[in-house]
């Protein structure tokens, strides 16, 4: 099974990326995922179910420990045609 995760962390700071946002992006960028797109207002990653779920677990734990007050995420099952 393939999954796509989309996430944002808060609170926002338009002047400088907060520590929780930097940590969340580092987690996703270092995970064994097939596709990663990071941006100022949202981030997306795709990969196998185990890899995505492992990354999401680490993302939540590390972002909250780094000061995030909210993590919004959506996880979708995707097919090969959605790539």
């Amino acid at each position: 099974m393939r999954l796509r995760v989309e996430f944002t962390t808060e609170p926002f700071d338009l002047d400088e990326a907060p520590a929780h946002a930097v940590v969340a992006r580092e987690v996703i960028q270092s995970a064994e995922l097939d596709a990663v797109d990071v941006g100022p207002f949202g981030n997306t990653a795709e990969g196998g179910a185990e890899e995505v779920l492992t990354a999401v677990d680490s993302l939540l734990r590390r972002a909250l420990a780094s000061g995030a007050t909210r993590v919004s995420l959506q996880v979708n099952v995707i097919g090969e045609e959605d790539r």
Side-chain angles (χ1 to χ4, degrees):
M1 176 185 329
R2 289 187 53 77
L3 300 176
R4 177 184 297 131
V5 61
E6 299 173 51
F7 68 92
T8 58
T9 61
E10 295 179 40
F12 294 114
D13 182 341
L14 296 177
D15 295 326
E16 184 178 334
H20 59 79
V22 173
V23 165
R25 289 179 187 154
E26 288 173 353
V27 167
I28 291 299
Q29 289 175 322
S30 67
E32 295 181 28
L33 302 173
D34 301 332
V36 175
D37 182 29
V38 296
F41 300 108
N43 308 283
T44 305
E46 295 180 11
E50 189 61 36
E51 292 79 12
V52 170
L53 294 174
T54 298
V56 166
D57 177 64
S58 182
L59 163 82
L60 290 171
R61 292 175 189 278
R62 293 188 58 203
L64 292 169
S66 296
T69 58
R70 174 186 284 203
V71 179
S72 301
L73 67 93
Q74 178 174 300
V75 178
N76 294 300
V77 175
I78 58 173
E80 291 299 317
E81 66 278 358
D82 294 329
R83 290 179 104 182

